[in-house]
Amino acid sequence: MALHFHHEMNFGPHLLPEGGVCFRLWAPSAEKVDIGLQLNGRDQWQTLTMEKGESGWFRLTIGEAGPGDLYCFRIDNGLWVPDPASRFQPEDVHGPSEVISPGFFTWNDLSWKGRPWSETVLYELHVGSFTPEGTFQGVESRLDYLAEIGVTAVELMPVSAFPGSRNWGYDGVLPFAPESNYGRPEDMKNLVQEAHRRKLMVFLDVVYNHFGPEGNYLHAYAKPFFSSRHETPWGDAINYDGSDSETVRDFFIQNALYWLEEFHLDGLRFDAIHSIYDDSEPHILKEIAEAVDLGPGREREIHLVLENDNNEARYLERDAKGRPCWYKAQWNDDAHHCFHCLLTDEGDGYYQDYHGNALDYLGRCLTEGFAYQGEPSPFRGGKIRGESSTHLPPTAFVNFLQNHDQVGNRAFGERLIRLTSRKPLRAGIALLLLAPSIPLLFMGEEAGVTNPFPFFCDFGADLAPLVTEGRRREFAEFEAFKDPEVRKTIPDPADPATFRDAVLDLGSPDQDSREWLDYYRYLLDLRHRLLVPRLGQIVPGKGEYQVVDSKVLLASWPFQDGVVWRLYANLGSENYGKIEMPAAKLIFSTAGEETSGDGVLPAWTVSWFLDKE
C-alpha cells in the first residue's frame, strides 16, 4: 500500500486541487507585498502585487503556478525575502523559495507504527559530517551499519536551511526547509522510509528558541515574531505570549506537526527550551505536545524529548497509568557532567558543580533523574536549579557520555577518547548502556573515532570574523586560554578545514575500531535481551543508590515482579576489596567473572546483576 502525505497549514503556498497555487505571507509590519515568480522552465521573472487582507495576511492565487516554480516576496517596494514557511531553498537562504508538492513522494511504510520508547537507543549525528558525502543519501548508506550495532533511533541534528554550505544546524532560519546542501525534501523522506524498513526510528532536533543571525528576514515585515519583554543569548525572544503571538505560536505548532506528518518522523528533540519564554497558559511546549498527541500521536508511536538546563521536571510528568502527559524524556546533562568528571577529573566551567562529588551525583542521576533538584548551583552564582524528579521513571531521562554540545563546546572539540584512557572509558560505556535510562550515542563513538567535532559555520564576510572572535573570547576565563596568543590556536569556525576535520569515514574500520564496535554491539545486545523487556515493569521512585568509601557506587532498581537490577561499580583507579557481592546472576562485568568471586572490585570495574529482592 502506498500513500502521499501533505501537511495542511496556513503558512506557505497552498496547492489548489483544480490547479494553481495560493501564495500566503503573514507580514503585519508591511504596507505592501509583491511576489516575484519564475514559472518552471522559464527564464523570466514576473512581479505581481499581493492582496492585503485582515490581521497582516497577504495572499494571491496564481493559476499558472505549480510545483517546481521559484518565488520570493518584495516588502514595501524594497527588500526581497524568501518564504519563512518555504519547503525548499535551492539557492540557499537568501535566494528564492521553491514550490514543493509533498504528494510527489510515494510512501511505502504505512505498516510502520513506530517502536515503544523503552526500546530506544539514540544515535545523534550531523548529516553534513557523518559521511564523506555529507548528505541524506550518505546517512542512508550507513543505516545497516547502525541497525547492526543495536541502535534503534537515528537522531538528526537540525536540518532546517542555514546560511552557507556548513553549519551545526542551530543557526537555521527557515524551519520548514530541509537544508539544500544535504539534498532535496524527497531525499530526506527516502532516508526516513529506508530507516523504517530497517526498524529504525528517526528523530529530528528542532530549534524553537531563536533564529540564526544571518538570513532571518522576519524583522523586516513581521516584527511581532519577536518580543523585547524576554531576553535570550541571541537577542529578543520569540514572541510566544505577547500581542499577535497567536500566529507565532501556530507557526511553530505547525512546524512540529509538519515534520512528524509530512516526513513520517518518529520523534522530535526540542533544543534549549530554557530559552523559550512563555508566561501565558497553556505554555507553548504543552500546546505543541497536546497537538501532537491529538494528531499523529493517535496513529503511531511519537516521542517528544527536551533539552532543558533548568531541570524542570513538570514537563515530564506521568498520568495515573504512568503515561507521559507531555514529553517522554529530557537530555540529562547532569549525568553527562558526572560521567565526565569521573572519567577525566576535569573541573573547569560548569563541571565545578559536580567535581569532587561526582560519584554521589551520578548515583542520584541514575536512580532519581536530576543531580540538581532545587539545590543552589555554584557555577550559576548560587542560583537554585531544578525540580524534584525522584518520582519519575529512569526512562524519563536520556543519558550520554558525549553529544554535539559536550564535544563541540570544547575549544578544540576533543572527543572523550582523547581525554581519558581505555579502561575508564569502557567502564563509562558499560554504565551508560546497561542503566535503565535511555542511552544516546554521539556519531563515531561506537567505533572509537578520534576526529574532533569543533564548532563550524559558513557565515557571510561581515559576520564570520565576529563569530571567530566571539568563539575565542568564550574561553578567555579558562586558565589554559588566558594568553591571547594561545586563544588564537583555537580552530576558526569559518575555516573550511575546521569542518573537514569533523567529517567521519566509518567505511574501513581498523582493529581498534572493530574492538570498540564489538564492545558496543555486545552491550546493546544484552540491553535489548535482558533489560528492555523489563523496563515497562520498573517501579518509579524506588531506585536507590549508595556510595561506599567515596569510591564504590551501588545502585538498584526494583521491578514489579520483585526482580532487582543491580549495579556495583568502582570508578576509581585503585582496587576495592571490602565489598560483599550479591548472590545474584552476573549479567556483565568489565572485569569478567572476577567480580563474582572474593568481593574485590578491581579499579574501573562496572558490574551488573539481576536478582530476587
Side-chain angles (χ1 to χ4, degrees):
M1 184 179 181
L3 283 178
H4 308 277
F5 287 91
H6 186 164
H7 174 68
E8 294 290 346
M9 56 188 177
N10 294 327
F11 304 92
H14 174 57
L15 278 69
L16 303 174
E18 66 274 16
V21 178
C22 177
F23 293 91
R24 304 166 293 190
L25 180 69
W26 188 59
S29 305
E31 291 297 321
K32 179 187 177 186
V33 176
D34 300 316
I35 184 170
L37 182 68
Q38 184 184 52
L39 296 176
N40 196 19
R42 303 183 189 179
D43 294 331
Q44 292 185 336
W45 283 79
Q46 55 179 298
T47 302
L48 302 167
T49 299
M50 301 183 74
E51 300 169 1
K52 186 175 183 179
E54 297 180 353
S55 304
W57 283 97
F58 290 80
R59 293 179 175 84
L60 186 66
T61 297
I62 302 176
E64 290 183 279
D69 293 346
L70 300 180
Y71 68 101
C72 50
F73 302 110
R74 183 169 62 184
I75 309 301
D76 293 330
N77 296 318
L79 182 68
W80 287 97
V81 301
D83 187 346
S86 167
R87 280 178 163 89
F88 190 56
Q89 291 292 119
E91 299 173 23
D92 206 7
V93 298
H94 301 292
S97 305
E98 180 180 329
V99 178
I100 294 292
S101 173
F104 282 0
F105 186 85
T106 300
W107 288 94
N108 297 303
D109 68 345
L110 277 301
S111 62
W112 174 260
K113 299 300 179 184
R115 297 184 66 161
W117 176 243
S118 60
E119 296 179 359
T120 304
V121 175
L122 289 158
Y123 186 95
E124 187 194 22
L125 65 86
H126 177 265
V127 174
S129 58
F130 178 55
T131 66
E133 297 87 349
T135 62
F136 294 125
Q137 291 183 348
V139 176
E140 185 182 323
S141 72
R142 304 299 295 168
L143 292 176
D144 287 332
Y145 162 86
L146 296 177
E148 197 270 334
I149 295 167
V151 168
T152 63
V154 176
E155 181 174 322
L156 307 177
M157 289 173 63
V159 301
S160 297
F162 52 73
S165 62
R166 56 194 181 275
N167 195 285
W168 270 19
Y170 299 91
D171 295 311
V173 290
L174 297 170
F176 291 83
E179 169 56 39
S180 59
N181 285 288
Y182 299 160
R184 293 186 58 83
E186 309 90 78
D187 297 320
M188 182 175 172
K189 292 175 182 178
N190 200 63
L191 165 61
V192 175
Q193 181 158 264
E194 287 301 307
H196 290 169
R197 195 164 67 83
R198 294 162 174 83
K199 298 183 179 181
L200 290 169
M201 297 180 281
V202 182
F203 288 60
L204 177 65
D205 200 342
V206 293
V207 182
Y208 295 164
N209 51 50
H210 78 291
F211 291 89
E214 180 186 333
N216 171 28
Y217 294 100
L218 286 165
H219 285 284
Y221 59 87
K223 289 183 173 62
F225 241 95
F226 305 94
S227 170
S228 59
R229 292 178 59 240
H230 305 292
E231 193 70 20
T232 77
W234 309 281
D236 287 349
I238 292 174
N239 175 26
Y240 287 115
D241 59 5
S243 178
D244 289 326
S245 62
E246 295 86 356
T247 304
V248 180
R249 294 171 72 93
D250 190 44
F251 183 84
F252 289 100
I253 292 169
Q254 295 306 315
N255 185 256
L257 294 172
Y258 162 80
W259 288 116
L260 294 169
E261 293 180 349
E262 204 158 288
F263 286 79
H264 280 205
L265 293 175
D266 301 279
L268 301 173
R269 180 262 192 188
F270 294 77
D271 178 66
I273 69 156
H274 48 269
S275 292
I276 293 177
Y277 296 97
D278 182 8
D279 293 333
S280 65
E281 189 62 38
H283 192 283
I284 182 62
L285 288 167
K286 292 183 178 179
E287 191 169 359
I288 290 173
E290 289 166 359
V292 170
D293 189 50
L294 293 172
R298 298 176 65 181
E299 300 175 355
R300 55 192 173 93
E301 295 269 8
I302 299 291
H303 309 300
L304 304 182
V305 181
L306 301 173
E307 179 200 18
N308 185 3
D309 188 63
N310 292 334
N311 283 4
E312 293 166 312
R314 69 190 78 164
Y315 296 110
L316 308 176
E317 290 299 332
R318 269 53 180 167
D319 64 17
K321 295 183 178 180
R323 298 170 302 195
C325 298
W326 296 288
Y327 290 85
K328 293 285 176 70
Q330 176 180 316
W331 277 27
N332 197 351
D333 280 341
D334 280 1
H336 167 271
H337 300 342
C338 296
F339 278 126
H340 193 87
C341 289
L342 290 165
L343 300 183
T344 70
D345 200 34
E346 291 185 359
D348 278 347
Y350 43 67
Y351 294 127
Q352 67 183 267
D353 277 359
Y354 309 86
H355 192 263
N357 201 27
L359 192 60
D360 187 70
Y361 276 144
L362 179 61
R364 194 179 198 197
C365 287
L366 294 176
T367 58
E368 300 179 13
F370 300 132
Y372 280 81
Q373 301 182 33
E375 293 79 19
S377 160
F379 173 68
R380 295 164 180 80
K383 180 181 177 182
I384 298 299
R385 176 170 176 251
E387 299 172 352
S388 176
S389 59
T390 58
H391 60 293
L392 295 170
T395 51
F397 302 92
V398 175
N399 290 347
F400 38 85
L401 298 181
Q402 304 175 81
N403 64 28
H404 72 275
D405 271 332
Q406 306 307 334
V407 176
N409 285 346
R410 302 180 64 83
F412 296 99
E414 306 103 316
R415 292 169 176 269
L416 192 53
I417 198 169
R418 291 286 198 187
L419 306 173
T420 190
S421 56
R422 193 179 193 89
K423 204 167 185 178
L425 185 53
R426 283 174 58 88
I429 295 165
L431 254 176
L432 174 73
L433 298 186
L434 292 179
S437 46
I438 301 298
L440 175 142
L441 313 181
F442 182 58
M443 63 175 194
E445 72 167 84
E446 77 289 347
V449 301
T450 57
N451 298 60
F453 188 75
F455 177 66
F456 49 79
C457 55
D458 184 23
F459 292 124
D462 293 338
L463 183 58
L466 300 177
V467 173
T468 298
E469 178 56 31
R471 171 71 173 171
R472 290 171 175 170
R473 192 167 53 245
E474 286 179 18
F475 296 95
E477 296 184 6
F478 289 80
E479 191 63 37
F481 297 102
K482 288 188 179 297
D483 185 340
E485 293 303 311
V486 175
R487 290 201 296 275
K488 289 181 181 179
T489 66
I490 295 174
D492 180 357
D495 186 344
T498 303
F499 166 73
R500 288 196 297 269
D501 287 344
V503 177
L504 302 185
D505 187 355
L506 300 169
S508 302
D510 57 19
Q511 179 61 33
D512 189 59
S513 292
R514 286 193 291 271
E515 289 178 5
W516 284 114
L517 285 166
D518 287 343
Y519 188 56
Y520 275 83
R521 187 182 297 113
Y522 180 74
L523 290 174
L524 286 174
D525 177 65
L526 287 177
R527 178 183 184 87
H528 290 307
R529 288 191 295 109
L530 302 179
L531 178 59
V532 168
R534 292 184 171 274
L535 285 179
Q537 299 299 311
I538 205 162
V539 183
K542 297 299 182 181
E544 297 180 343
Y545 77 96
Q546 176 186 0
V547 175
V548 181
D549 289 348
S550 302
K551 297 179 179 181
V552 171
L553 176 64
L554 311 180
S556 61
W557 297 263
F559 299 102
Q560 292 174 3
D561 62 0
V563 173
V564 182
W565 193 255
R566 295 190 185 277
L567 166 68
Y568 280 59
N570 177 3
L571 299 183
S573 57
E574 298 179 1
N575 293 352
Y576 188 80
K578 297 182 291 183
I579 200 76
E580 183 178 348
M581 295 299 174
K585 179 182 179 182
L586 176 65
I587 298 300
F588 173 80
S589 176
T590 54
E593 295 300 322
E594 296 175 37
T595 302
S596 59
D598 56 8
V600 173
L601 271 180
W604 296 110
T605 291
V606 170
S607 302
W608 290 97
F609 299 87
L610 189 65
D611 75 337
K612 286 287 185 180
E613 196 167 19

